[in-house]
Amino acid sequence: MPLILDSPLPSPTLAIPPTEDERATRRTQHHSCDAVVVGAGILGTAIAITLARQNRSVILLERSLKEPDRIVGELLQPGGCEALERLGLRHCLEEIDAVKVHGYEVIYHGKEVAIPYPKEAVSKSLPNPGQRPEGRSFHHGRFIRRLRETAMLEPNLMVVETTVTGTIRSTWTNTSGPPKILGIESLTHGVQDYYFGDLTIIADGYASKFRKEYIPHSPISRSKFWGLELRDADLPLPQHGHVILGDHPPILLYQIGTHETRALVDIPEGIPSASPAAGGPKAHLRNVVLPALPKCVQSSFEIALDEGKLRSMPNSWLPPSTNRVPGMIMLGDAMNMRHPLTGGGMTVALNDVVLLRDLLGPEQVPSLSDTNRVLSQMKKFHWRRKNLTSVINILAQALYSLFAANDPQLLALQLACFRYFELGGSCIDGPVGLLAGIIRQPLVLFYHFFSVALLGMWIVVSDAAPAWKKPWAVLESVLIFAKAVGVIGPFIWSEVRS
């Protein structure tokens, strides 16, 4: 339950700004600052560092500062690496055994096509603009550790290990709308604690305890990723992410270290081969997934499967929402999620921080206590982020619908997608540029998606034989196009209405 204050916190007007020592005293002794950030994950730590470097006084709260161990958030697209560069955090990719990623390899029923990141899409504002962009893959926990180490070195930032239990509200501040959030209450070693800030930033991840209270949407999850860590796997195309398609939901393979490779297997709800009667997810991995893998990977996959270190994460969809609560903003997976198939989550999070750095900077918002100004800037944030986030959100959901195809029209679109990649040139540069977060134009996404749909229609009609089957093929092609509209339409609408 939130703590409710009937009157605002005293905010004495000072003749001169407080000194660094005074602000440090306020943080350490009075737990008072410009911004309280909840969650020291990717976004929470990055926004805390960014605000601190803008001479804001910041307190970052995290339930556990131990190095996390997760099976997602391990592949950072080139657009995310670029955002790290802009935030001055590129060094966090060093000393964690990160692996360069040059693109993707799609394997469709044993046929392979390489999809490198497009050279011409490199930002000219970054070093070596003539080179192809690169992503990085790594152990998630090691990257988080580096970010947190950087945060702890910031003089304007205090990092605290504590379990947040609720928000502190003031009914006095705003009687005509939602009450203003004044800070956070928590438990530190079992003792009740309070942290006050002009602005409270909630970034507590996919399992956010605040979402139901402040976000109008609920996550939708219809599948899980089941993950294994392979040792010394021999990948078909090193330094590339691998997407394996066939008579099964999608399988991902990518290196996360010199000797480690992550295998992620999508298992939808209710799939018979993973039912308890069939032996559960492990039986699905052994009986369905193992035979579908490239021969060079099968032995390391089987060894990892026998070791039994199998873990899962829900694959969730949560459309974005405009922040409207005075004194608080919700960010990251707490506010917006998409299927992790395309590895876009961290890219979205870090680019959100870049945008917020500008919108909430001291030049735009001199004081974070100016609630109306902050809310006005957050409305701009909601729409300005869409050039990138709407592309990644829609692309992730639409591609998953095709790659996990379970009806004739979706299977036709899946085949068309692979054939489209085989054409090469702009047919791979455009889609992978969108996926990488370096082409930020929704119209380019729609162009390529419906080009795939038209190709699927042409394949069905041209392959129809004998001639008397052509009319039926034309009807089937219409159904394919209708299915394409039905796949992408709801996700476009979710971005527009939000």
Side-chain angles (χ1 to χ4, degrees):
M1 292 294 291
L3 177 67
I4 299 177
L5 301 183
D6 293 327
S7 60
L9 288 175
S11 300
T13 301
L14 300 178
I16 56 174
T19 65
E20 291 300 323
D21 288 343
E22 290 171 334
R23 298 203 309 169
T25 298
R26 289 183 181 182
R27 286 194 301 271
T28 57
Q29 296 187 16
H30 306 296
H31 295 179
S32 177
C33 60
D34 296 322
V36 175
V37 180
V38 178
I42 302 293
L43 189 143
T45 309
I47 190 66
I49 294 169
T50 300
L51 291 174
R53 289 178 177 177
Q54 291 180 325
N55 204 33
R56 309 283 197 187
S57 179
V58 183
I59 298 175
L60 175 60
L61 308 179
E62 169 58 39
R63 180 176 57 85
S64 174
L65 291 174
K66 293 180 180 179
E67 184 173 304
D69 185 15
R70 293 180 62 188
I71 62 168
V72 294
E74 297 171 318
L75 195 155
L76 185 62
Q77 299 287 1
C81 293
E82 179 180 337
L84 269 185
E85 187 87 35
R86 297 185 187 282
L87 294 170
L89 296 172
R90 180 80 183 212
H91 66 279
C92 293
L93 293 174
E94 300 170 0
E95 301 176 8
I96 60 172
D97 194 26
V99 177
K100 293 181 179 180
V101 179
H102 298 294
Y104 282 83
E105 169 96 336
V106 177
I107 304 174
Y108 176 78
H109 291 278
K111 296 181 66 178
E112 302 178 12
V113 60
I115 307 177
Y117 292 130
K119 181 177 180 180
E120 62 271 18
V122 181
S123 173
K124 296 180 180 180
S125 64
L126 295 178
N128 305 317
Q131 297 181 1
R132 287 186 181 272
E134 296 177 347
R136 289 291 188 275
S137 54
F138 41 73
H139 288 266
H140 175 84
R142 295 176 187 174
F143 182 49
I144 291 288
R145 170 173 51 80
R146 290 285 282 156
L147 285 171
R148 290 174 179 175
E149 288 171 351
T150 301
M152 291 176 183
L153 295 175
E154 292 295 326
N156 293 325
L157 174 55
M158 180 174 75
V159 183
V160 181
E161 189 173 64
T162 187
T163 301
V164 172
T165 57
T167 54
I168 302 171
R169 301 175 179 175
S170 173
T171 56
W172 184 92
T173 304
N174 184 5
T175 57
S176 61
K180 183 176 181 179
I181 303 302
L182 302 175
I184 288 295
E185 55 182 349
S186 69
L187 288 175
T188 307
H189 304 299
V191 178
Q192 190 72 50
D193 217 338
Y194 305 93
Y195 295 87
F196 297 95
D198 294 332
L199 179 64
T200 298
I201 299 174
I202 304 293
D204 59 340
Y206 78 95
S208 172
K209 66 174 62 178
F210 298 99
R211 184 186 295 121
K212 287 184 179 179
E213 193 171 2
Y214 297 110
I215 294 290
H217 310 299
S218 297
I220 298 172
S221 178
R222 296 193 175 97
S223 71
K224 289 183 178 180
F225 260 149
W226 290 80
L228 287 172
E229 185 175 304
L230 317 185
R231 292 287 299 178
D232 296 316
D234 185 14
L235 293 176
L237 191 59
Q239 296 186 330
H240 286 70
H242 293 69
V243 182
I244 302 170
L245 307 175
D247 299 324
H248 50 76
I251 304 163
L252 303 184
L253 298 171
Y254 53 91
Q255 283 181 267
I256 56 174
T258 302
H259 299 284
E260 301 87 27
T261 293
R262 175 67 69 205
L264 290 177
V265 178
D266 184 84
I267 301 184
E269 293 179 350
I271 189 170
S273 56
S275 67
K282 194 168 185 178
H284 174 85
L285 296 181
R286 189 176 300 279
N287 300 328
V288 177
V289 175
L290 181 59
L293 293 174
K295 295 292 185 182
C296 56
V297 180
Q298 289 183 3
S299 61
S300 58
F301 186 91
E302 188 170 21
I303 290 171
L305 187 59
D306 289 339
E307 289 176 352
K309 296 178 181 179
L310 187 62
R311 293 179 295 159
S312 68
M313 284 282 290
N315 298 323
S316 301
W317 160 245
L318 177 67
S321 304
T322 305
N323 283 275
R324 294 188 172 92
V325 180
M328 189 198 82
I329 58 177
M330 188 169 286
L331 300 169
D333 285 352
M335 182 270 287
N336 180 206
M337 290 187 283
R338 79 291 307 152
H339 197 287
L341 173 70
T342 57
M346 290 188 292
T347 297
V348 168
L350 292 168
N351 278 276
D352 279 353
V353 175
V354 171
L355 183 54
L356 286 169
R357 178 192 61 181
D358 299 332
L359 290 175
L360 297 182
E363 300 82 6
Q364 299 293 329
V365 185
S367 174
L368 296 178
S369 63
D370 186 346
T371 299
N372 291 334
R373 181 62 177 162
V374 170
L375 290 177
S376 175
Q377 294 298 91
M378 291 310 297
K379 288 180 182 178
K380 295 178 182 178
F381 166 77
H382 177 75
W383 293 106
R384 287 187 186 178
R385 71 192 292 265
K386 286 191 178 294
N387 278 344
L388 172 67
T389 58
S390 67
V391 165
I392 292 180
N393 289 342
I394 295 169
L395 181 63
Q397 298 304 121
L399 274 183
Y400 177 70
S401 297
L402 268 59
F403 289 175
N406 57 5
D407 66 38
Q409 290 78 40
L410 286 174
L411 286 169
L413 287 168
Q414 184 187 91
L415 170 62
C417 186
F418 184 76
R419 293 276 186 89
Y420 193 73
F421 292 154
E422 286 186 311
L423 295 174
S426 63
C427 295
I428 59 174
D429 286 351
V432 78
L434 293 163
L435 182 148
I438 47 184
I439 297 179
R440 306 181 180 195
Q441 303 171 47
L443 290 179
V444 175
L445 168 61
F446 305 149
Y447 168 80
H448 287 288
F449 185 83
F450 285 105
S451 293
V452 168
L454 292 173
L455 178 59
M457 297 170 67
W458 181 84
I459 290 172
V460 167
V461 173
S462 63
D463 288 354
W468 62 266
K469 290 186 177 181
K470 292 290 185 182
W472 299 106
V474 171
L475 176 59
E476 178 65 19
S477 72
V478 173
L479 294 176
I480 289 171
F481 191 83
K483 175 64 73 170
V485 173
V487 165
I488 200 170
F491 301 121
I492 295 174
W493 172 244
S494 70
E495 290 290 328
V496 172
R497 69 170 181 168
S498 63

